[in-house]
Amino acid sequence: MQLTGSQILIECLKEQGVDTVFGYPGGAILNVYDELYKHSDEIKHILTSHEQGASHAADGYARATGKVGVCFATSGPGATNLVTGIATAYMDSVPVVAITCNVGVPLLGKDSFQEIDIVGVTLPITKHNFIVKDVNKLADVIRDAFRIAKEGRPGPVLIDIPKDVTAKMADYEYKTPVVPEANKNIDSNEIAEAIDMIKKARKPFVFVGGGSIISGASAEIAEFVEKVDAPVCDTLMGKGAFDGTSERYTGMLGMHGTKTSNFGVMECDLLIVLGARFSDRVTGDTSKFASNARILQIDIDPAEINKNIKVDMSIVGDIKVVLEAINARLDKENHKEWMNHIYEMKKEYPLRYNKDILTGPYLMEKIFEVTDGNAIITTEVGQHQMWAAQYYKYKEPRTFLSSGGLGTMGYGLGACIGAKLGRKDKIVINIAGDGCFRMNMNELATATRYNIPIIEIIVNNHVLGMVRQWQTLYYGQRYSYTVLEDQVDYVKVAEGLGAKAYRVETKEDFEAALKDAIAMNIPCVLDCHIEKDDKVFPMVSPGASLMETFDC
């Protein structure tokens, strides 16, 4: 049948099972929005306060559900406002399809009003991108975009559609979506070699990254760890891939990792890496990283093998598939002496903080207690992000959503909205610093417009906490433009945007406010005031060895 480009777009979204999109209309995308209006009972559109909020919401929806997130923007500044969100998704391998509309084909390249080459702009930060100048190719491009976003190592895909293409007619025929399947052809010799490495190890350590969550390999990892009889640490992106309440779990690895994880990895004789890319924040001094160990890396992306750290053996493949093959052939190992050593280290080097006053770590532990560890936690970026990673125990995958690779301040609130819409059964809480809250606090208006019951917790220390921490440690306490002592009242701001707000200054205040916010089931903000000089410890100085982890 003959449909307009806009109609084809909407029909293709329905083909792909899209039920929620996030966006902001404008002149170039008006044809699409007019068609979307006619399908509002099938596709829910969330009008965000800013296009960046739409991109982060699509990202949060994707991370929380495992589905592809979708966002819309118009040409020019609408499209460029998506860029930070697209880059965030790219760095963390999140499947997002961003759909922009541009000026008509005859106006392209003429500096027309609100024209931008968004394909050129986003080329380095997308898995793939398209500009569709022929309406007859539109349907296949949309289908390809969703397939590309999901298959292999996921990532964002952008489709730019000139306005005249959204109005032109073309034949459309429904097609069943292609569901990418993991390649199950794993070299049996590689599996045998990996098993041989494991059998020869006396002090193995399993290191879990975000790829493990993308793969859906949590059950296989749990079985694998028991068979190997090893401790487990993770990256920021790997939180929840392995149960954070397990006695085998030692905490995060790296700059703000636990001493047990950092020292244990430096002592182990085999490091088994599952879907992690050896970020500089994880490795410290690469010349000394895991210097006593052979390294076995399993990753779906061959580009990550030997990129940052040279490994002794690698298997390129889907982690779930690879571990299924290994588990089927691996006998249970026994490393009692090594595990006892790890347990002793956990006792010797626990995370510590001042329990007498309101602090970031206390907030996270209390959230875990009140929610029984069953909430989805989103974060902004900074000290509060690290406290959320250290002190909340993530029992399941897709329950910790944070900008790891790009470190995007302003990510969390939009992501929180997207996550809650994707997982309505979950309590969803965003952890923000006061500096981050300023970045995208306008998205509170989005939450209140649709009565999306999220909880925003502001860890308010009146400074840019993580930057100030570095200024304290490395810049002679010269606090250059990191002090936020001004007249902004976040309770009044939140109330003005339609949310219920609480000012929290004591531990008792926080527990009562949190329980009240959960019970009310409406958008709520808790403005929690802590000391400005609270710091995130343990810490490894940039470029130092993990053995140089310090507490203060």
Side-chain angles (χ1 to χ4, degrees):
M1 57 181 166
Q2 285 270 307
L3 298 178
T4 66
S6 295
Q7 291 172 324
I8 290 170
L9 170 58
I10 299 302
E11 291 302 319
C12 285
L13 293 181
K14 288 159 58 179
E15 275 181 12
Q16 298 295 327
V18 174
D19 56 15
T20 307
V21 298
F22 306 88
Y24 207 97
I29 201 170
L30 269 179
N31 291 335
V32 172
Y33 269 83
D34 187 55
E35 191 59 36
L36 184 62
Y37 180 86
K38 303 168 189 176
H39 294 267
S40 57
D41 59 333
E42 299 168 282
I43 299 177
K44 184 178 181 66
H45 178 273
I46 301 298
L47 176 65
T48 55
S49 299
H50 190 281
E51 290 91 351
Q52 186 179 139
S55 62
H56 293 326
D59 176 303
Y61 179 93
R63 295 196 206 209
T65 64
K67 301 177 183 177
V68 176
V70 180
C71 56
F72 285 175
T74 195
S75 63
T80 57
N81 282 343
L82 294 178
V83 167
T84 297
I86 293 171
T88 300
Y90 182 72
M91 290 289 282
D92 291 344
S93 304
V94 182
V96 170
V97 171
I99 297 170
T100 58
C101 287
N102 216 322
V103 300
V105 173
L107 297 175
L108 290 172
K110 297 182 179 179
D111 293 331
S112 304
F113 177 67
Q114 290 194 331
E115 179 195 358
I116 195 77
D117 177 12
I118 193 62
V119 168
V121 169
T122 60
L123 190 63
I125 55 167
T126 50
K127 190 175 177 186
H128 198 83
N129 61 18
F130 303 87
I131 182 167
V132 186
K133 299 179 183 179
D134 181 353
V135 69
N136 295 292
K137 297 179 180 178
L138 180 59
D140 285 341
V141 165
I142 295 167
R143 293 161 183 149
D144 284 345
F146 276 84
R147 175 184 54 78
I148 292 167
K150 290 184 288 187
E151 72 181 357
R153 181 177 183 171
V157 178
L158 179 131
I159 308 170
D160 193 34
I161 312 169
K163 185 172 183 178
D164 55 342
V165 173
T166 67
K168 288 180 178 178
M169 305 289 291
D171 286 327
Y172 165 80
E173 182 179 346
Y174 173 87
K175 290 187 179 179
T176 302
V178 175
V179 180
E181 292 187 2
N183 182 4
K184 297 193 175 183
N185 295 321
I186 305 299
D187 189 328
S188 61
N189 291 328
E190 290 184 346
I191 298 299
E193 186 178 346
I195 290 173
D196 185 59
M197 289 180 74
I198 293 167
K199 285 184 174 296
K200 289 178 179 177
R202 294 293 174 265
K203 297 186 290 184
F205 215 121
V206 177
F207 174 38
V208 178
S212 300
I213 292 174
I214 294 167
S215 174
S218 292
E220 289 73 20
I221 291 171
E223 180 183 352
F224 176 72
V225 167
E226 288 299 320
K227 285 198 166 188
V228 177
D229 193 23
V232 183
C233 62
D234 56 18
T235 66
L236 187 71
M237 304 311 301
K239 296 252 159 239
F242 184 78
D243 184 355
T245 65
S246 168
E247 66 176 357
R248 293 186 181 276
Y249 179 66
T250 62
M252 192 164 60
L253 179 70
M255 179 174 283
H256 292 296
T258 64
K259 285 188 173 181
T260 303
S261 292
N262 287 356
F263 295 168
V265 164
M266 295 298 284
E267 291 179 24
C268 75
D269 64 2
L270 175 65
L271 183 63
I272 304 167
V273 185
L274 307 177
R277 60 186 180 84
F278 296 112
S279 160
D280 58 295
R281 291 297 174 99
V282 160
T283 63
D285 184 346
T286 55
S287 68
K288 298 177 181 177
F289 178 75
S291 54
N292 294 311
R294 301 184 75 197
I295 299 177
L296 166 62
Q297 184 178 7
I298 303 173
D299 202 288
I300 200 167
D301 187 355
E304 293 300 339
I305 307 299
N306 293 320
K307 185 175 79 173
N308 296 325
I309 295 289
K310 296 294 183 183
V311 301
D312 296 277
M313 195 255 166
S314 63
I315 300 177
V316 175
D318 183 277
I319 294 162
K320 181 181 178 73
V321 173
V322 174
L323 289 186
E324 284 175 346
I326 292 177
N327 287 340
R329 296 167 58 179
L330 181 64
D331 296 326
K332 183 166 174 48
E333 301 294 307
N334 186 330
H335 302 114
K336 184 177 179 180
E337 184 177 345
W338 170 237
M339 288 306 305
N340 285 339
H341 175 60
I342 294 296
Y343 296 145
E344 287 303 313
M345 277 206 289
K346 288 179 68 173
K347 292 177 184 177
E348 184 178 356
Y349 303 121
L351 294 172
R352 297 186 178 94
Y353 67 93
N354 184 350
K355 296 181 184 288
D356 296 329
I357 60 174
L358 189 70
T359 64
Y362 169 81
L363 297 176
M364 307 312 157
E365 288 193 335
K366 183 56 65 173
I367 294 168
F368 178 82
E369 176 190 317
V370 170
T371 64
D372 195 28
N374 292 320
I376 291 176
I377 304 296
T378 67
T379 81
E380 307 292 350
V381 171
Q383 288 179 317
H384 59 277
Q385 177 192 31
M386 294 298 104
W387 287 323
Q390 292 174 327
Y391 288 93
Y392 190 101
K393 298 178 177 65
Y394 300 91
K395 299 186 289 186
E396 298 176 359
R398 302 193 181 279
T399 55
F400 178 73
L401 316 183
S402 191
S403 173
L406 197 63
T408 303
M409 294 175 70
Y411 165 81
L413 182 50
C416 189
I417 290 169
K420 182 63 181 179
L421 288 168
R423 293 294 308 276
K424 295 181 177 65
D425 59 313
K426 288 282 191 179
I427 296 169
V428 185
I429 300 172
N430 184 48
I431 311 298
D434 46 326
C436 289
F437 182 62
R438 294 166 182 249
M439 294 280 183
N440 274 340
M441 62 186 177
N442 52 351
E443 295 306 335
L444 268 181
T446 306
T448 58
R449 176 186 296 118
Y450 297 100
N451 195 29
I452 303 168
I454 60 167
I455 299 173
E456 173 88 353
I457 294 176
I458 306 171
V459 185
N460 189 349
N461 54 8
H462 304 280
V463 294
L464 298 177
M466 186 61 86
V467 184
R468 181 187 174 89
Q469 177 166 331
W470 281 48
Q471 289 174 331
T472 300
L473 295 173
Y474 307 115
Y475 291 87
Q477 301 182 29
R478 294 182 295 277
Y479 300 122
S480 179
Y481 303 101
T482 51
V483 178
L484 304 178
E485 293 284 2
D486 52 30
Q487 302 305 308
V488 178
D489 185 328
Y490 295 126
V491 170
K492 290 182 178 178
V493 169
E495 291 174 341
L497 291 169
K500 172 69 175 175
Y502 306 78
R503 183 180 177 90
V504 173
E505 296 184 329
T506 68
K507 293 163 68 174
E508 294 74 21
D509 287 347
F510 179 71
E511 182 170 2
L514 178 61
K515 289 179 177 178
D516 193 38
I518 292 171
M520 291 186 72
N521 202 39
I522 61 174
C524 292
V525 175
L526 282 63
D527 180 19
C528 305
H529 293 256
I530 69 167
E531 294 292 323
K532 66 177 179 293
D533 283 319
D534 279 359
K535 293 180 175 60
V536 179
F537 289 120
M539 185 172 180
V540 179
S541 294
S545 163
L546 296 185
M547 290 302 295
E548 298 174 59
T549 305
F550 64 93
D551 284 320
C552 61

